[in-house]
Amino acid sequence: MKNNLRSPLGLLAGVLLISVPAFAHHGGSEYDTKNLVTMKGTVTEFHWANPHCQVLFEAKDDSVKGVNWAIETLAPAVLKRAGWSPETLHPGDPITITFAPSVRGTPVGMIRKVVLPTGKELTGGTIGETRPQ
Amino acid sequence: MRNFIVRFLYAPAALLIFSTVSIAQTAQSSGAPKPKAKPGAFDARDFSGVWNPAQSMQPRGQVNPIDLSGHPDPLPPFNPAGQAKYLANRKFIDAGDVLDCDPYGTARNLFTPRPFENIPARDRLLQHFEYYDNWREIWTDGRDFPGDLEPDFMGYSIGKWDGDVFVVESRGYNGKQFLTWQGFPLTESMRQTERWQRVDHDTLKIVFTFDDPKMYAKPWTITFFYKLTNWILDAHPCTISELKKYDDTVSHRDNLPGRDYKPQN
């Protein structure tokens, strides 16, 4: 599983958008923030909840087609300041999502940005001393 | 336990009752027009508002309590027991767990990269932390620590003025939380001192001193800054059900144990 995902992830590695470390809830350094990945997919679930929201989507890219990914975000409060709401995503929505993938090679990641069906782009928000978007 | 619950119930109630009263303010006539403040003017004894950590302002060479790499350098002056506890806590954190929905304690809340609101009340300063919806009371009515202090996560805090410096002394922690999210330990012996100073309109400086002889070879001090924001706090309580959902969708899928893992000493 790990090797199957690692190779396409390398090919899909995106640009480093934000140089903030992943502040993930289940550990400190489990995301590869230097090799971001961008994928197209369809939302299957969107959980607006603590400690972090979760975007689940089925990948459409040929190399990982059909894989169901779980992308965590920061907390709802942080997403709100970045322009999100509980109604931002719904099952069936086509999205393009950029995230820092898990270093374990699992279909898990930490969001950096998402392009909604409307074309609107939202970041995953920021924590620390950055002013609101 | 009862005191713990009562304190958390009292805090929101006090907010509703006293939210317009400042510890720094004297009585004001309600109908008089408020003089327009000069740009940048501020009351050095007014800490009200929503503040956000400004970690980049911390002096270099100090322990960085908000280091998101998880491997701060330098480290606090651990004694052998503290070093061992820290390594155990790191193992616990690196294994992918958090301390369920336990309140963060005061230091960890203040060193979490999330905003908090200071709400002056008649006899105390309330702090509301956004991340876990935690509350802290800093008593300003001149009281001393109670003789029968019952340890809990948020401890017991009293504040007094030293000129325009607000000196907060805290104790009564139960030692079940981390001092920072990197896993610096604390025990019931912790004596925490904070010296608050509003250095300009937008900047709050707090000098922390941590004195816990069971974990540290000597008291250690760091300086940390916070910036005033115009945010409205959007606090979310931590709930076990949401944590479990998070584990199901993220932690377990990432081959992490989530809440099933227990800390090892």
Side-chain angles (χ1 to χ4, degrees):
Chain A
M1 178 67 169
K2 181 176 180 178
N3 287 340
N4 289 344
L5 290 172
R6 272 304 196 186
S7 176
L9 288 181
L11 295 173
L12 291 166
V15 178
L16 185 64
L17 296 174
I18 309 168
S19 61
V20 294
F23 188 73
H25 217 75
H26 59 278
S29 57
E30 65 273 20
Y31 292 119
D32 184 356
T33 57
K34 294 182 178 175
N35 293 290
L36 300 186
V37 173
T38 297
M39 287 186 186
K40 293 182 184 299
T42 302
V43 174
T44 56
E45 297 177 51
F46 178 45
H47 302 294
W48 184 265
N50 274 330
H52 293 172
C53 303
Q54 305 121 46
V55 179
L56 279 68
F57 74 97
E58 186 176 305
K60 295 298 181 190
D61 298 277
D62 287 343
S63 54
V64 287
K65 191 171 183 178
V67 174
N68 202 268
W69 288 76
I71 307 301
E72 67 169 309
T73 75
L74 294 170
V78 180
L79 288 193
K80 265 189 186 178
R81 285 193 279 270
W84 294 63
S85 82
E87 301 302 318
T88 294
L89 292 172
H90 299 92
D93 285 352
I95 57 170
T96 301
I97 190 166
T98 300
F99 56 90
S102 168
V103 297
R104 296 175 180 80
T106 54
V108 172
M110 167 61 84
I111 197 167
R112 282 296 181 268
K113 70 172 184 177
V114 65
V115 181
L116 305 178
T118 60
K120 183 178 181 180
E121 183 177 309
L122 294 173
T123 73
T126 56
I127 55 175
E129 56 196 310
T130 304
R131 294 281 174 170
Q133 305 292 314
Chain B
M1 183 62 182
R2 183 178 173 275
N3 282 349
F4 173 78
I5 294 171
V6 168
R7 257 182 247 171
F8 276 73
L9 290 176
Y10 263 106
L15 163 65
L16 294 174
I17 297 169
F18 301 120
S19 62
T20 59
V21 185
S22 166
I23 55 171
Q25 290 173 338
T26 54
Q28 293 180 351
S29 58
S30 57
K34 198 174 179 180
K36 193 173 182 180
K38 294 178 182 175
F42 65 99
D43 180 349
R45 290 190 169 204
D46 182 6
F47 301 115
S48 61
V50 176
W51 299 83
N52 201 35
Q55 57 265 41
S56 68
M57 295 179 69
Q58 190 187 16
R60 291 186 178 183
Q62 292 188 351
V63 175
N64 180 351
I66 207 167
D67 179 357
L68 293 178
S69 74
H71 301 284
D73 180 22
L75 289 168
F78 298 122
N79 63 22
Q83 176 75 14
K85 184 63 177 170
Y86 170 63
L87 293 177
N89 290 347
R90 282 299 328 168
K91 185 178 177 183
F92 173 69
I93 294 167
D94 290 342
D97 205 357
V98 293
L99 295 169
D100 292 329
C101 286
D102 292 350
Y104 260 20
T106 57
R108 189 175 178 187
N109 265 312
L110 287 163
F111 298 142
T112 291
R114 303 295 166 86
F116 61 86
E117 184 166 14
N118 290 329
I119 306 161
R122 176 177 51 81
D123 53 0
R124 73 196 99 164
L125 178 66
L126 295 168
Q127 285 195 290
H128 188 198
F129 298 96
E130 180 179 83
Y131 192 39
Y132 266 24
D133 195 17
N134 288 170
W135 289 84
R136 178 194 197 186
E137 293 167 311
I138 302 172
W139 292 97
T140 56
D141 57 358
R143 70 178 63 191
D144 202 348
F145 289 101
D148 58 346
L149 190 56
E150 184 180 339
D152 66 26
F153 285 98
M154 298 300 286
Y156 193 98
S157 298
I158 57 176
K160 296 175 180 174
W161 290 101
D162 178 10
D164 283 338
V165 176
F166 187 52
V167 182
V168 182
E169 302 279 352
S170 302
R171 59 185 69 169
Y173 296 106
N174 62 16
K176 295 179 181 177
Q177 185 50 269
F178 303 147
L179 197 65
T180 67
W181 87 277
Q182 303 107 320
F184 297 163
L186 79 162
T187 71
E188 292 186 8
S189 298
M190 174 59 78
R191 300 287 185 268
Q192 180 176 312
T193 303
E194 298 151 49
R195 293 181 63 85
W196 296 29
Q197 186 177 10
R198 190 164 180 175
V199 294
D200 62 36
H201 181 274
D202 294 333
T203 310
L204 169 63
K205 170 186 173 184
I206 301 181
V207 179
F208 295 85
T209 299
F210 300 107
D211 185 5
D212 185 347
K214 289 186 177 177
M215 292 286 110
Y216 301 96
K218 58 182 180 181
W220 54 286
T221 296
I222 57 173
T223 301
F224 215 74
F225 292 88
Y226 303 86
K227 285 291 187 182
L228 187 63
T229 77
N230 59 1
W231 297 351
I232 294 174
L233 219 60
D234 185 21
H236 283 234
C238 178
T239 66
I240 293 292
S241 62
E242 290 186 345
L243 272 173
K244 285 180 176 175
K245 183 66 179 175
Y246 172 85
D247 276 346
D248 287 343
T249 56
V250 178
S251 302
H252 296 161
R253 190 185 296 233
D254 202 19
N255 297 331
L256 289 167
R259 250 100 335 247
D260 300 332
Y261 184 85
K262 300 300 177 191
Q264 307 292 318
N265 288 314

